[in-house]
Amino acid sequence: MSSPSKRREMDLMKLMMSDYKVEMVNDGMQEFFVEFRGPTESIYQGGVWKVRVELPDAYPYKSPSIGFINKIYHPNVDEMSGSVCLDVINQTWSPMFDLVNVFEVFLPQLLLYPNPSDPLNGEAAALMMRDRPAYEQKVKEYCQKYAKPEDAGITPEDKSSDEEELSEDEDDSGDEDILGKPDP
């Protein structure tokens, strides 16, 4: 790469091309939001989070800052700030990694394999170690309460396609009513 800014631009484009919804802040490439979905076949499945990403001037040589905007119940995510405790982002970051790695590997791994011995959310860590079923239930409750698509700020155009499907269904049911009545 010729410069950190070119690399930032390429990584951001690669992330957008990987079907992630990305919302830029202030027309710059330093700060943006990414829609992140809980891993399939996990207790986070179905959850949708808005994740704030801030790229330092020295990116990719310095790691991005990552934080959940809507609430998530996890031992390694601070419930109030959304800050993430993840070694690969905080301590062992390498310029070989990119933004797609963060959303396709690092965050899914964090959700699938929490580390209660290095918590940012002490309550979640204690509950996970003490009563795993109660912990899993609380995770699912948080997903239902705070991690619906609208909580992640999905754009209205995504919702309109659902509304169109509903209106088509309504039209079909109207036809059935007309067809189902015998002529006088």
Side-chain angles (χ1 to χ4, degrees):
M1 285 299 120
S2 58
S3 72
S5 64
K6 282 263 190 241
R7 170 65 189 270
R8 180 182 299 118
E9 203 173 298
M10 274 188 49
D11 283 4
L12 196 51
M13 290 305 293
K14 190 173 165 186
L15 184 67
M16 290 176 179
M17 302 285 283
S18 298
D19 290 335
Y20 286 97
K21 289 189 174 108
V22 178
E23 178 187 328
M24 305 307 290
V25 175
N26 298 330
D27 296 330
M29 292 191 185
Q30 298 281 124
E31 185 180 352
F32 49 92
F33 297 102
V34 178
E35 180 187 295
F36 174 70
R37 295 177 178 273
T40 307
E41 297 180 24
S42 77
I43 55 176
Y44 294 93
Q45 181 174 348
V48 182
W49 291 269
K50 188 175 194 175
V51 176
R52 182 179 173 271
V53 180
E54 193 171 335
L55 300 179
D57 290 335
Y59 177 87
Y61 305 104
K62 191 168 184 233
S63 67
S65 173
I66 307 290
F68 285 85
I69 298 300
N70 43 331
K71 285 187 178 189
I72 183 168
Y73 194 74
H74 190 284
N76 309 112
V77 179
D78 183 273
E79 188 173 351
M80 298 312 290
S81 71
S83 297
V84 175
C85 180
L86 186 59
D87 282 349
V88 76
I89 292 175
N90 298 332
Q91 290 149 4
T92 60
W93 178 262
S94 162
M96 291 178 9
F97 302 138
D98 63 18
L99 296 171
V100 173
N101 290 129
V102 170
F103 290 95
E104 289 188 357
V105 179
F106 305 151
L107 287 180
Q109 291 291 315
L110 178 75
L111 297 189
L112 290 168
Y113 308 105
N115 180 4
S117 60
D118 186 20
L120 279 177
N121 182 337
E123 178 197 319
L127 185 59
M128 181 183 174
M129 292 191 297
R130 186 178 67 245
D131 186 351
R132 187 71 182 232
Y135 163 77
E136 291 179 1
Q137 183 57 40
K138 190 148 189 176
V139 165
K140 290 174 184 175
E141 287 170 10
Y142 266 59
C143 287
Q144 291 170 350
K145 195 171 186 180
Y146 303 111
K148 296 183 293 294
E150 56 269 22
D151 297 322
I154 293 179
T155 55
E157 65 210 34
D158 293 333
K159 291 181 184 175
S160 66
S161 63
D162 292 340
E163 289 169 6
E164 287 170 17
E165 288 173 23
L166 286 175
S167 63
E168 288 173 14
D169 291 343
E170 289 167 8
D171 290 344
D172 291 344
S173 64
D175 291 344
E176 288 169 11
D177 289 344
I178 294 169
L179 295 174
K181 293 179 182 170
D183 290 331

